């Protein structure tokens, strides 16, 4: 089973989402990725957020883990983490993914969506109701 981390980043009653520039079929997503073997979950969450969004620990506060969801059909276990963004994080920005993973070099267009947000791709929205902002 692969261990995945998914980041719900909120600011007030908004969720940070992105879409792939030039690849609309990828849909609306949140930062997420695979934990490396032996990597601590929180370290994996911070790494994926940094690689996929460019946001730093100085701009975010880790609020905690929400839920673990097992997806045996896909041989994946997802760990959903909640982070809160500083008000200084912009309303929109583009970020080119780094880190050497499968998304390396892709351009992600970020923005804030009001709650409840539209559906997310790949069932990434399956734990949104666990957030204490509803």
């Amino acid at each position: 089973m692969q261990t995945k981390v998914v980041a719900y980043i909120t600011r007030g009653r908004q969720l940070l989402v992105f879409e792939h520039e030039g690849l609309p079929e990828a849909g609306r997503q949140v930062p997420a990725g695979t934990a490396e073997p032996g990597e601590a979950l929180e370290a994996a969450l911070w790494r994926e957020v940094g690689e996929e969004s460019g946001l730093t620990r100085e701009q975010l506060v880790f609020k905690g883990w929400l839920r673990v969801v097992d997806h045996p059909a896909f041989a994946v276990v997802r760990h959903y983490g909640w982070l809160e963004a500083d008000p200084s994080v912009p309303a929109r920005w583009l970020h080119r993914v780094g880190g050497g993973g499968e998304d390396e070099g892709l351009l992600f267009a970020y923005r804030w969506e009001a709650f409840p947000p539209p559906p997310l791709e790949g069932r990434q929205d399956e734990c949104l109701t666990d957030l204490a902002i509803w």
Side-chain angles (χ1 to χ4, degrees), residues 3 7 15-16 26 29 35-36 41 44 59 61-62 66 69 81 83 108 123-124 134:
T3 300
L15 178 70
L16 185 64
Q29 300 179 38
E36 302 294 334
L41 287 175
Q59 297 169 292
V61 173
F62 179 69
L66 298 171
V69 180
L83 298 111
F108 291 169
R123 297 173 58 178
Q124 286 185 332
W134 285 85

Side-chain angles (χ1 to χ4, degrees), residues 2-130:
Q2 274 194 324
T3 300
K4 301 276 189 176
V5 292
V6 181
Y8 288 158
I9 302 173
T10 61
R11 183 172 68 183
R13 292 186 39 81
Q14 298 177 313
L15 178 70
L16 185 64
V17 300
F18 71 86
E19 291 174 330
H20 293 70
E21 276 289 297
L23 194 61
E25 61 272 17
R28 184 178 296 105
Q29 300 179 38
V30 295
T34 305
E36 302 294 334
E39 185 178 28
L41 287 175
E42 192 171 333
L45 186 72
W46 284 113
R47 179 181 51 74
E48 287 293 340
V49 166
E51 289 174 2
E52 292 197 355
S53 72
L55 294 174
T56 66
R57 289 178 183 244
E58 290 75 28
Q59 297 169 292
L60 303 167
V61 173
F62 179 69
K63 302 290 282 183
W65 294 103
L66 298 171
R67 195 183 331 167
V68 178
V69 180
D70 190 2
H71 291 283
F74 303 104
V76 167
V77 176
R78 286 182 176 167
H79 297 260
Y80 284 84
W82 179 18
L83 298 111
E84 192 172 66
D86 184 89
S88 67
V89 173
R92 293 177 175 272
W93 73 94
L94 294 174
H95 178 74
R96 187 151 319 269
V97 179
E102 62 186 40
D103 292 337
E104 173 85 26
L106 293 176
L107 189 60
F108 291 169
Y110 278 91
R111 70 177 182 283
W112 296 98
E113 287 276 357
F115 269 83
L120 300 173
E121 284 298 314
R123 297 173 58 178
Q124 286 185 332
D125 49 10
E126 65 190 344
C127 297
L128 279 176
T129 56
D130 292 358

